[in-house]
Amino acid sequence: MAEIKNYTMNFGPQHPAAHGVLRLILELDGEVIQRADPHIGLLHRATEKLAENRTYIQSIPYMDRLDYVSMMMNEHAYVMAIEKMLNLKVPIRAQYIRVLFDEITRLLNHLLWLGCHALDVGAMSVFLYTFREREDLFDCYEAVSGARMHAAYYRPGGVYRDLPDHMPQFQNTRFSRPNVTHKLNENRQGSLLDFIDDFANRFPKHIDEYETLLTDNRIWKQRTVGIGVVSPERAIELGFTGPMLRGSGIEWDLRKKQPYEVYDKLNFDIPVGVEGDCYDRYLVRIEEMRQSINLIKQCSKWIRVNPGPVISDNQKYAPPKRQDMKEDMESMIHHFKLFTEGFHLPKGEAYAAVEHPKGEFGIYLISDGANKPYRLKIRAPGFAHLSSLDEMTKGHMISDLVAIIGTQDIVFGEIDR
Amino acid sequence: MEEFLKQYLDPKFAITFAYLIKIFCIVIPVMISVAYLTYFERRVIGFMQSRIGPNRVGFFGLLQPIADALKLLFKEIILPAKSNNFLFFLAPLLSIAPALAAWAVIPFGFEMVLADINAGLLYVLAMTSIAVYGVIIAGWASNSKYAFLGSLRSAAQIVSYEIAMGFTLVGVLMCANSLNLGEIVMAQQGGISQWYCWPLFPLFIIYFISAVAETNRAPFDVAEGESEIVAGFHVEYSGMAFALFFLAEYANMILVSILAVIMFLGGWMSPFSFIPDGIFWLLVKVAFVLFFFIWFRATFPRYRYDQIMRLGWKVFIPLTLIWIIFIGAMMQTDYAEYFH
């Protein structure tokens, strides 16, 4: 009898389920995966090296482009590391704004994850529904920073500017009908906070909509229950964080365990899974979206009644007001120094991490006292998750591999950096 | 029509010619409905997914299918370097030809049928079974691992659902006492209550699900599996060769829908006896059934390959067998009239 050999298949980087540029070498026995070998580096842009040649502020936009679906969270870890080294105090209002936008970012990320995961498993409509809601969240980004994705909104010492009083409106074009435009502008009449509140009020209904399509769907359950099971002990050993870890039943969330900004003043729960399979991780992330809405509402309520500065008044590190620059010599010098030379960090090192939608996103910064980092190391949660792919997929079929890539919520911007 | 042609032509030619005209009268409307089924699908799914769908080419995008067809026609057919050329081109023909040939026995109205043969149902089954060879050969001849996986999946799936489908048809022919599709429709005369979808309700549902699986449509589209094996068996095809697979898939969709209508929903019969019968009813019912195909596609996630097999072998085949025995038993009792 002829010897039966395993079948080697190249999966990606040009594959609809590769989430960008994942390349896998699969060893298959029929359709059953014996070994999955991820090859990374196809989106490597040397962010860490680039940061060594730029002043601290110049590197903020690079952070947006790491995990390009949760932009502001990446900035957050970066500015937190700088603030930690400088002992720079962030005004309380800025902290609330940061939490507000962190949670908006979490929604952005989870919506993209949900849509792509469902699309990978074959449910097409969910993808388009989630993108409809993402559009509104991008509008929030746009209103506050001018950019729809790569915001560069967080700065060392606070945020770039206060929340705007009005929302940008849709304009009539020769392709649009006036009554449609009017309808689109209906919830954009007030301030950004009004728009966010309106969104927060209707979004739970949208989550219900996704859940009616998926949660109790027999096919969805057959495709996710018992797939890619990771035991709690193994999840810790593998360095899992975020929903991947919580899906396995470990209650670990930096927002609760090492509270940063104002998370200790806010009221929210951490959902955890039981089985550690794809379905539990799905439920965990769905519940996280509901908790995020809860947090957004609390922040928005606080921000409404507590005006104040949104960036530190220490002009060595935060730009002075434009008005002051016209009259005050010192402010003008600060401004000039800040945007040419940039500020210097004291000699030393710091690690700051945030609870990123994907897990623990950390920035490890070493300074030799210059105006740019000596070394910047990015701790990307997706990297640890992807390294477990072989273990999670062993013995599953190709279709399950796709579901597992989906559940890991992989984005190559952060893995390849 | 033959009599009319005989006045002008040699009688031998007249018969052939008459048949040719009839064939064109079937194939061309089928092709047009295939084209507009794609348009219908894109608009309906667009509506379900809160987007617009094609609306730029012509009024409401009505010329979109024609634009697509022209585009595919002018595209280059790329031949993979290490493929088997003969089989590579044979495969699309093998899948489109049976999909069109099966239409020969479909009755569109009373006596409105190209070939009124007695074993019509068997003929349809035979034709739809041949179509699987197109898929297998396509996957094999492409010499690509993805295409190969796709064709293996597809072959296993079609073979197992063919059995469940065959058994549901057994139920129908037990009720109708005939394999002739026209006679099956005539047996359902007398309004909506006489349609076979009532006494054969489980078979109707199983037939419909098997039909979705048989045509490789979502949620059973593992053979194509966009996000898993990219496009499955036709991943290496382009231009018109791809278009033929595409046409075959949609022609098969319409075919299985029209079969569902003929066997379970009373064909061209009107639902109420006071409204006249006619081909209009057939079209309305087929459109209704086709809508479900599209609705499924917008709603369900995709099954895994082994789960499809399990559903076919462990659920559908036993269920159909039980129901056939049940019908057979009921026909021997006083309630037999409900099953005829």
Side-chain angles (χ1 to χ4, degrees):
Chain A
M1 209 173 115
E3 194 190 345
I4 297 172
K5 274 194 220 150
N6 282 344
Y7 191 77
T8 313
M9 197 163 84
N10 199 18
F11 183 100
Q14 307 290 342
H15 189 283
H19 284 224
V21 290
L22 172 63
R23 181 177 175 219
L24 288 171
I25 310 292
L26 296 178
E27 213 176 285
L28 301 171
D29 177 12
E31 282 221 15
V32 181
I33 294 164
Q34 301 299 316
R35 204 165 68 92
D37 186 12
H39 286 208
I40 62 167
L42 291 147
L43 199 64
H44 180 60
R45 291 152 303 170
T47 308
E48 292 173 359
K49 191 72 191 166
L50 282 169
E52 288 172 20
N53 296 303
R54 270 152 187 76
T55 63
Y56 288 101
I57 293 187
Q58 281 174 339
S59 291
I60 295 177
Y62 283 116
M63 298 301 137
D64 285 322
R65 287 153 179 82
L66 286 172
D67 179 357
Y68 44 77
V69 289
S70 30
M71 295 69 72
M72 286 199 195
M73 301 286 260
N74 307 336
E75 295 169 25
H76 198 167
Y78 179 69
V79 296
M80 259 170 65
I82 295 173
E83 282 155 10
K84 210 168 179 177
M85 295 218 3
L86 291 170
N87 268 328
L88 194 61
K89 264 195 78 68
V90 181
I92 183 86
R93 184 173 166 87
Q95 294 190 18
Y96 270 99
I97 291 177
R98 280 183 180 181
V99 171
L100 174 73
F101 271 91
D102 274 5
E103 294 309 317
I104 286 179
T105 310
R106 195 180 307 282
L107 285 182
L108 271 173
N109 179 81
H110 281 4
L111 282 174
L112 181 108
W113 159 79
L114 178 64
C116 293
H117 187 29
L119 190 67
D120 286 348
V121 178
M124 194 166 53
S125 296
V126 181
F127 180 76
L128 286 130
Y129 293 157
T130 59
F131 269 64
R132 180 184 60 195
E133 271 72 73
R134 263 168 71 83
E135 202 59 26
D136 285 341
L137 295 172
F138 277 138
D139 288 346
C140 297
Y141 260 51
E142 189 182 6
V144 85
S145 73
R148 287 168 65 74
M149 286 188 81
H150 301 303
Y153 179 59
Y154 294 2
R155 297 293 152 88
V159 294
Y160 165 56
R161 63 171 187 186
D162 208 344
L163 303 179
D165 296 333
H166 59 89
M167 282 294 288
Q169 311 276 311
F170 282 100
Q171 305 292 327
N172 276 315
T173 67
R174 68 196 175 93
F175 298 111
S176 59
R177 269 173 278 163
N179 54 339
V180 175
T181 317
H182 181 74
K183 206 161 177 254
L184 284 172
N185 282 331
E186 242 166 30
N187 50 13
R188 285 159 213 266
Q189 297 306 317
S191 68
L192 173 63
L193 281 176
D194 293 337
F195 182 73
I196 290 175
D197 279 346
D198 175 64
F199 179 84
N201 285 332
R202 68 191 145 88
F203 188 64
K205 278 198 213 83
H206 292 311
I207 301 181
D208 295 342
E209 206 173 274
Y210 315 142
E211 285 212 87
T212 49
L213 278 170
L214 300 176
T215 305
D216 288 328
N217 187 321
R218 286 177 66 99
I219 304 177
W220 177 257
K221 277 185 149 177
Q222 284 185 23
R223 288 296 306 276
T224 53
V225 173
I227 304 297
V229 181
V230 183
S231 68
E233 300 78 31
R234 198 63 194 133
I236 292 176
E237 283 168 8
L238 288 166
F240 280 12
T241 43
M244 293 288 289
L245 183 62
R246 293 194 283 274
S248 292
I250 309 257
E251 191 202 338
W252 178 261
D253 189 322
L254 293 183
R255 293 175 294 173
K256 282 271 192 218
K257 303 287 170 185
Q258 300 169 8
Y260 50 96
E261 310 297 4
V262 288
Y263 277 116
D264 48 351
K265 294 179 192 158
L266 298 169
N267 185 16
F268 64 101
D269 296 326
I270 320 173
V272 289
V274 182
E275 305 290 337
D277 56 7
C278 288
Y279 188 64
D280 276 15
R281 288 188 282 269
Y282 157 78
L283 292 178
V284 164
R285 286 190 174 108
I286 290 278
E287 184 54 32
E288 273 184 27
M289 287 206 267
R290 295 190 194 275
Q291 295 297 329
S292 287
I293 282 293
N294 196 1
L295 283 165
I296 286 174
K297 279 183 181 163
Q298 292 174 45
C299 289
S300 152
K301 204 169 150 195
W302 190 93
I303 294 169
R304 267 174 200 283
V305 290
N306 292 289
V310 293
I311 192 157
S312 160
D313 54 2
N314 186 341
Q315 299 191 344
K316 295 273 182 245
Y317 306 110
K321 284 198 177 72
R322 191 142 287 266
Q323 192 57 44
D324 295 346
M325 278 163 54
K326 312 277 183 197
E327 295 151 5
D328 183 16
M329 189 64 188
E330 203 162 332
S331 294
M332 201 178 145
I333 294 169
H334 278 311
H335 181 266
F336 180 75
K337 288 283 276 180
L338 204 57
F339 287 106
T340 51
E341 188 189 350
F343 51 77
H344 292 249
L345 248 56
K347 219 168 173 171
E349 51 189 67
Y351 175 77
V354 292
E355 184 66 27
H356 193 271
K358 296 181 168 63
E360 177 179 334
F361 183 91
I363 298 281
Y364 181 52
L365 202 62
I366 303 180
S367 165
D368 56 358
N371 58 349
K372 40 197 178 192
Y374 174 76
R375 175 81 171 93
L376 177 80
K377 169 80 179 83
I378 298 159
R379 193 249 179 237
F383 189 81
H385 299 157
L386 184 65
S387 6
S388 74
L389 190 73
D390 180 43
E391 190 177 318
M392 283 174 82
T393 52
K394 195 161 280 173
H396 284 308
M397 300 180 88
I398 296 182
S399 314
D400 300 328
L401 167 78
V402 173
I404 290 169
I405 295 174
T407 195
Q408 288 190 343
D409 195 7
I410 282 173
V411 163
F412 269 81
E414 57 156 14
I415 290 171
D416 288 344
R417 302 197 278 278
Chain B
M1 191 159 64
E2 280 157 39
E3 301 306 317
F4 176 74
L5 285 169
K6 270 178 192 164
Q7 294 171 9
Y8 303 97
L9 290 167
D10 188 302
K12 267 189 217 158
F13 284 122
I15 294 172
T16 322
F17 205 63
Y19 268 108
L20 272 179
I21 291 173
K22 282 183 191 168
I23 288 170
F24 274 109
C25 287
I26 293 174
V27 169
I28 290 170
V30 165
M31 281 301 165
I32 292 173
S33 15
V34 164
Y36 280 91
L37 179 59
T38 63
Y39 171 77
F40 179 61
E41 174 175 33
R42 291 165 74 179
R43 290 296 285 202
V44 169
I45 290 191
F47 175 71
M48 285 175 178
Q49 296 174 342
S50 63
R51 56 192 174 86
I52 301 167
N55 73 340
R56 280 284 173 267
V57 192
F59 286 108
F60 306 106
L62 277 170
L63 296 179
Q64 184 71 43
I66 293 161
D68 288 342
L70 281 178
K71 184 198 77 175
L72 286 169
L73 208 59
F74 286 115
K75 276 193 137 179
E76 185 190 353
I77 298 175
I78 297 164
L79 201 67
K82 289 187 177 170
S83 69
N84 182 325
N85 296 2
F86 173 69
L87 289 179
F88 190 77
F89 285 119
L90 181 70
L93 298 179
L94 258 184
S95 62
I96 185 86
L100 293 178
W103 286 86
V105 294
I106 301 292
F108 298 96
F110 184 65
E111 305 270 287
M112 260 173 79
V113 55
L114 180 67
D116 194 8
I117 54 177
N118 279 332
L121 206 53
L122 278 182
Y123 172 80
V124 169
L125 267 184
M127 280 300 147
T128 48
S129 307
I130 289 177
V132 71
Y133 287 104
V135 173
I136 296 175
I137 291 174
W140 183 260
S142 308
N143 198 12
S144 148
K145 289 176 178 176
Y146 283 95
F148 179 59
L149 273 180
S151 71
L152 282 186
R153 285 178 173 197
S154 175
Q157 178 188 340
I158 294 184
V159 166
S160 43
Y161 276 81
E162 197 97 301
I163 298 173
M165 207 165 163
F167 277 130
T168 58
L169 303 188
V170 169
V172 173
L173 66 94
M174 280 167 78
C175 288
N177 278 328
S178 171
L179 277 166
N180 184 308
L181 291 172
E183 281 173 27
I184 291 174
V185 176
M186 293 312 286
Q188 302 177 58
Q189 228 163 2
I192 194 165
S193 60
Q194 297 300 310
W195 295 356
Y196 285 152
C197 59
W198 306 121
L200 302 178
F201 188 73
L203 295 188
F204 174 53
I205 299 296
I206 290 171
Y207 172 81
F208 189 61
I209 297 172
S210 306
V212 177
E214 179 91 2
T215 48
N216 281 336
R217 295 282 303 175
F220 302 99
D221 57 344
V222 288
E224 282 168 40
E226 173 67 35
S227 54
E228 292 156 24
I229 48 172
V230 197
F233 60 92
H234 58 53
V235 70
E236 301 291 345
Y237 284 86
S238 61
M240 223 33 217
F242 163 74
L244 285 184
F245 280 116
F246 198 72
L247 287 178
E249 180 184 329
Y250 281 80
N252 270 328
M253 252 168 86
I254 303 178
L255 181 75
V256 292
S257 310
I258 212 166
L259 279 176
V261 170
I262 285 171
M263 291 184 304
F264 296 100
L265 300 174
W268 63 83
M269 300 287 175
S270 80
F272 307 104
S273 45
F274 54 86
I275 308 174
D277 306 330
I279 192 166
F280 166 75
W281 286 112
L282 188 77
L283 298 180
V284 168
K285 289 172 192 172
V286 168
F288 176 73
V289 175
L290 282 172
F291 176 74
F292 277 88
F293 275 81
I294 292 162
W295 193 4
F296 286 170
R297 184 169 166 212
T299 311
F300 291 128
R302 184 182 305 118
Y303 266 112
R304 202 171 63 201
Y305 162 66
D306 60 324
Q307 291 163 348
I308 292 188
M309 292 293 124
R310 192 171 63 203
L311 184 71
W313 289 100
K314 292 194 178 164
V315 181
F316 285 173
I317 292 176
L319 255 177
T320 43
L321 278 174
I322 289 168
W323 201 255
I324 286 171
I325 294 167
F326 174 73
I327 296 167
M330 290 305 279
M331 279 176 172
Q332 306 305 318
T333 64
D334 297 343
Y335 301 105
E337 56 184 297
Y338 296 111
F339 291 93
H340 274 295

